[in-house]
Amino acid sequence: MRQYLYEEEEPNPELNMRRRLTIATAEDNIPDDIEELPPLDDEEYSEEEIEIEEEIEVEMSDIEESDDNVAINASYMPETFEQLSAMYRSKMETKTEPKAESKFERKPQSEPEPEPEHEPDPDPEPTTATDIYVEYEDGDIEDYEHDEIDEEEISDEEEDEISDVDDAELMSRLEAKYGRLPAKEFESDPDSDDPSWTQIKPKNPTGAKAEEVADDLFEQELHKANAEMINENPAKALRAFNILTHTYAHKPTAHLSRAQALERMADTRRSNQLLQEAIESYKRYLAFGELITNQSEFRIASERCIQHLRFLGHTHQVFSIHELLIERYPDEAQLRNQLSLSYLMSNNLAKVQHVAGETLKRWPNNSVAQLHFGLAVKQLTGDYARALPYLEFAIQSQEAGTQEAYFYLALGETLQRLGRHTEAWQLHQSGVDKKFFLSVHQRSLYNEPGLKAKPFWQLTETGIAPQLEQLQHNWRAIRNEALSLLNKHGNFQPEAEHLRDTGNWQQYELFSQGKRLHANCQRAPITCALLAKLPAFTTCHRGQVKFSAMQALTHVWPHCGPTNCRLRAHLTLLAPEPHLTSLRVADQQRTWKAGELFIFDDSFEHEVWHNGTQLRLVLILDFWHPDLSESQRRNLSPI
Ligand code: OGA
Ligand code: MN
């Protein structure tokens, strides 16, 4: 049944290309010495500050309740690994904080699908942008006025501060906080409508001189606020930055410093909300564009902002920032690779192909661009022979940005689909050596260590035999329901992950990530009523429950599921030609028989053939690996 082609192709001469790329990622700039904030000392704070602190504390406690791996909400494809976001999020998390699994709260969102792009522009313009704008959460694009504060952007807390600025007490409070301000030649103008510090005018305004003095004052205050940061008091520093950004909204560094204070607090307090505020502040800073002359500050801020946006899964917001960077540094291939990586993370493969293709025109030997281009070609066209050299050379280069489990999977898959099984095996072995994979056969990427691993399992080993038997007992009712659903066009969905070599394979999902899919369950009331009494299947948030309908003459490419944390049962509903169908899991093979049930670990490589003439129908049920403790199950991110 299986045909392996051991065709060996000549290595491409590009193999000898010069390796010159070193990706410097924003992660490199993350301080790894961030310590816990000391407990807040009320005596050091004004009443108002304490209020603010309390608000923050409340938010924190809400957030800390729901600690989890942030990788969870990527629009993740359960069978393979077509979506990188989750991986990169968890990776960045690991880099910023060793306690990776519990850093920030769950992120209740998934990336919106980008506009489909059918034909990549064959000869597009270089990717640069001149527009400088801030793209806000709601997707609105807002021109940023350097010297204006948008009232709607101001939180209640900040609103207080603004009205405080009106208050004559402000100066004395600031003085109490930062020492005496050099304001001898200033006086407050109570008649002014302007609620900002522009009220504080020189007694004898003298144009440039006044500006200079105001600049000095700003610099001093910034310096003092920064000193709070250095003194490990970001909460206090943040309060000062809040005032500074309103008072000196036209000063880029005020926004930058505020962003840094927020970022640091976000990290210490594990708060995505604070991180979001840091991002907004970074965006305000970056919106000053060419007015920012400090190159390294601009660069670090851009890269941090991109990194945070990726981390939160807001990949669609990063593109304008990438373009600002590319515009500023047009000769750096790595900045273009970062752009195509962001497109890869948002699953916009047409853009990946376009950006990486442009990069290769100018830097044909750039490994990361080759890798991204090869991945896009593989996914978009299924032209494995064309994709292979790009993937192969890039990964063999071992250069920074090319050594990821996901890329090894993609190359292995490409080799397998070209029938080059020996090379695929060798590549998988090198992935095991690099600790990307648990074994050559078990290549899931989201793994818990130490779980018993074998291809097929006995019913008695699962710990949930009664629940499986309960379903098996009702297999005819389940079959009838599935068949009537199949009769109506549009209920079952074609497999959409390029796992099919030939034929027709469709699925109908009932539960996904431990959540009941209401519309589908309504149309399958019998099966869902049975499932409702069986928590083993409805609470496994690293899996699904679904019908799988396979037509004759179907071959499913070898593939691995995403995690070793679940086992998978097939309850066979219809299998008229068992001798003509086959499931291979690692090196073991078996077939389906109606009314029977078997259990396998789908993190092991598996492959399916249906060489018969009639429909084969099964109910697929995922459940937690029996070795996982209750608390492990609770804390694992959904897949
Ligand atoms: C699986 C799988 C194919 C099938 O259950 O993971 O790939 O036969 N199944 O339905
Ligand atoms: Mn599978």
Side-chain angles (χ1 to χ4, degrees):
M1 264 187 281
R2 210 150 89 206
Q3 282 204 334
Y4 288 164
L5 306 170
Y6 289 97
E7 97 194 29
E8 303 292 340
E9 284 178 12
E10 280 302 308
N12 188 307
E14 276 186 66
L15 199 58
N16 300 321
M17 65 197 165
R18 251 182 71 218
R19 329 287 186 202
R20 57 180 166 178
L21 180 81
T22 311
I23 293 270
T25 62
E27 288 110 74
D28 296 340
N29 301 310
I30 294 166
D32 50 11
D33 58 348
I34 294 172
E35 286 167 20
E36 284 291 313
L37 277 179
L40 294 170
D41 178 356
D42 288 356
E43 282 177 23
E44 276 185 37
Y45 288 77
S46 70
E47 263 177 44
E48 189 188 9
E49 282 166 344
I50 291 164
E51 261 172 41
I52 292 167
E53 288 301 337
E54 279 168 359
E55 266 175 45
I56 293 171
E57 288 299 307
V58 169
E59 284 161 15
M60 295 306 150
S61 58
D62 289 351
I63 287 160
E64 279 159 17
E65 284 292 299
S66 54
D67 268 355
D68 204 340
N69 185 337
V70 268
I72 47 188
N73 279 299
S75 45
Y76 190 73
M77 307 274 187
E79 290 279 349
T80 55
F81 306 91
E82 312 216 344
Q83 170 58 275
L84 273 172
S85 303
M87 191 179 83
Y88 273 86
R89 271 181 243 154
S90 53
K91 180 177 165 228
M92 285 186 279
E93 183 177 44
T94 313
K95 287 207 169 183
T96 51
E97 170 80 45
K99 290 174 271 176
E101 282 287 301
S102 59
K103 188 183 173 193
F104 287 3
E105 81 262 34
R106 234 168 239 212
K107 183 187 66 61
Q109 73 121 74
S110 61
E111 200 62 31
E113 276 301 304
E115 287 293 306
E117 287 195 26
H118 302 295
E119 279 299 313
D121 185 349
D123 192 16
E125 289 297 306
T127 313
T128 54
T130 47
D131 293 347
I132 296 167
Y133 55 79
V134 180
E135 192 178 345
Y136 287 103
E137 273 308 279
D138 57 4
D140 283 345
I141 291 176
E142 186 174 308
D143 288 323
Y144 188 71
E145 293 293 327
H146 297 160
D147 50 3
E148 263 180 35
I149 299 166
D150 181 348
E151 291 294 331
E152 283 171 18
E153 289 288 307
I154 298 165
S155 67
D156 290 351
E157 176 189 313
E158 289 166 336
E159 196 109 57
D160 283 352
E161 283 162 4
I162 288 173
S163 55
D164 286 347
V165 176
D166 256 337
D167 199 318
E169 277 173 37
L170 174 72
M171 290 299 281
S172 54
R173 285 200 289 114
L174 282 172
E175 282 178 8
K177 189 140 67 159
Y178 302 122
R180 198 150 181 82
L181 299 170
K184 290 229 163 60
E185 64 270 64
F186 292 81
E187 66 180 13
S188 193
D189 174 4
D191 299 330
S192 169
D193 288 338
D194 184 346
S196 81
W197 272 16
T198 51
Q199 282 183 303
I200 303 167
K201 290 179 184 141
K203 273 179 184 167
N204 302 305
T206 53
K209 174 89 182 355
E211 226 170 80
E212 228 173 78
V213 175
D215 279 358
D216 279 357
L217 183 60
F218 169 71
E219 290 301 331
Q220 282 181 37
E221 284 165 12
L222 190 65
H223 181 78
K224 281 172 189 155
N226 276 322
E228 293 286 2
M229 284 264 283
I230 293 158
N231 295 335
E232 298 290 328
N233 201 346
K236 209 165 173 183
L238 177 59
R239 165 123 177 89
F241 290 130
N242 282 345
I243 295 173
L244 279 174
T245 46
H246 291 314
T247 311
Y248 298 99
H250 59 292
K251 294 279 194 189
T253 43
H255 299 284
L256 176 63
S257 299
R258 181 169 179 268
Q260 289 163 343
L262 280 161
E263 171 182 73
R264 191 150 173 181
M265 280 182 79
D267 200 38
T268 314
R269 312 255 184 136
R270 302 178 179 189
S271 162
N272 282 356
Q273 195 190 321
L274 287 170
L275 194 62
Q276 185 59 49
E277 285 183 49
I279 288 168
E280 293 307 324
S281 228
Y282 269 130
K283 284 179 175 177
R284 284 179 180 266
Y285 164 76
L286 295 173
F288 286 90
E290 66 262 31
L291 294 173
I292 299 168
T293 49
N294 185 326
Q295 297 290 345
S296 71
E297 264 179 13
F298 179 87
R299 183 164 187 150
I300 291 168
S302 306
E303 289 177 342
R304 288 278 183 115
C305 194
I306 290 169
Q307 179 197 357
H308 296 323
L309 284 165
R310 282 180 180 168
F311 178 85
L312 291 178
H314 304 321
T315 326
H316 57 292
Q317 290 179 39
V318 302
F319 302 113
S320 55
I321 305 173
H322 280 297
E323 283 167 1
L324 286 174
L325 273 169
I326 291 169
E327 187 182 28
R328 212 171 255 243
Y329 302 97
D331 299 325
E332 287 196 31
Q334 58 170 316
L335 293 176
R336 294 161 199 259
N337 291 335
Q338 285 296 322
L339 174 62
S340 63
L341 179 61
S342 285
Y343 279 126
L344 198 55
M345 290 169 74
S346 56
N347 214 12
N348 190 340
L349 291 163
K351 288 279 195 192
V352 174
Q353 186 173 15
H354 170 65
V355 174
E358 286 301 310
T359 308
L360 286 176
K361 280 186 193 163
R362 211 170 134 188
W363 294 275
N365 294 331
N366 185 297
S367 320
V368 176
Q370 287 179 336
L371 182 60
H372 293 178
F373 189 77
L375 269 174
V377 167
K378 168 183 177 278
Q379 292 304 117
L380 289 170
T381 69
D383 187 342
Y384 302 109
R386 184 170 165 229
L388 180 65
Y390 292 101
L391 296 173
E392 204 163 41
F393 301 152
I395 286 174
Q396 282 173 1
S397 80
Q398 305 263 347
E399 283 183 19
T402 64
Q403 300 301 297
E404 299 289 350
Y406 174 86
F407 299 143
Y408 275 66
L409 270 185
L411 174 56
E413 214 168 78
T414 304
L415 287 164
Q416 282 182 324
R417 292 179 188 194
L418 287 165
R420 295 164 67 150
H421 294 278
T422 310
E423 288 157 86
W425 192 91
Q426 284 163 353
L427 179 88
H428 291 148
Q429 185 56 57
S430 69
V432 174
D433 297 342
K434 287 178 181 286
K435 310 253 184 289
F436 292 154
F437 306 134
L438 292 166
S439 76
V440 273
H441 292 302
Q442 199 181 15
R443 301 192 302 276
S444 46
L445 297 188
Y446 294 82
N447 302 315
E448 283 293 286
L451 302 183
K452 182 173 177 180
K454 59 173 185 168
F456 283 99
W457 287 64
Q458 299 298 317
L459 188 69
T460 49
E461 296 172 305
T462 62
I464 59 153
Q467 296 189 52
L468 283 162
E469 281 163 345
Q470 177 74 27
L471 271 181
Q472 188 177 14
H473 188 69
N474 290 286
W475 75 273
R476 284 191 178 82
I478 298 170
R479 175 199 60 194
N480 294 346
E481 187 164 69
L483 281 174
S484 69
L485 283 166
L486 250 181
N487 272 338
K488 203 172 152 233
H489 185 74
N491 280 333
F492 276 66
Q493 300 299 318
E495 181 276 325
E497 298 169 51
H498 308 290
L499 290 180
R500 236 172 345 128
D501 174 18
T502 56
N504 183 344
W505 175 28
Q506 295 189 311
Q507 302 184 344
Y508 185 96
E509 273 196 312
L510 300 170
F511 282 78
S512 179
Q513 301 189 340
K515 292 199 194 86
R516 187 175 178 273
L517 301 174
H518 296 288
N520 279 4
C521 274
Q522 259 171 2
R523 279 175 276 153
I526 298 167
T527 310
C528 284
L530 284 165
L531 286 168
K533 290 184 245 152
L534 304 172
F537 313 114
T538 61
T539 63
C540 177
H541 58 252
R542 285 203 159 183
Q544 299 94 44
V545 179
K546 58 192 179 187
F547 292 117
S548 168
M550 192 171 286
Q551 303 291 346
L553 302 181
T554 298
H555 172 227
V556 177
W557 291 118
H559 64 281
C560 298
T563 176
N564 73 341
C565 294
R566 70 184 189 211
L567 297 179
R568 175 161 279 193
H570 277 199
L571 173 60
T572 308
L573 305 174
L574 204 66
E577 302 159 299
H579 55 294
L580 294 174
T581 58
S582 177
L583 168 69
R584 174 182 67 83
V585 184
D587 54 0
Q588 299 175 33
Q589 215 145 331
R590 58 177 303 165
T591 188
W592 295 267
K593 296 206 179 91
E596 289 190 4
L597 187 145
F598 61 74
I599 296 134
F600 71 106
D601 182 338
D602 81 318
S603 62
F604 282 84
E605 179 182 297
H606 53 288
E607 183 173 9
V608 180
W609 297 265
H610 184 343
N611 293 328
T613 58
Q614 297 169 60
L615 175 74
R616 188 234 56 184
L617 185 63
V618 300
L619 177 62
I620 294 177
L621 300 137
D622 292 337
F623 56 92
W624 290 116
H625 192 292
D627 290 352
L628 288 169
S629 71
E630 270 312 313
S631 88
Q632 274 177 304
R633 294 175 193 196
R634 241 194 336 273
N635 290 316
L636 283 166
S637 58
I639 293 177

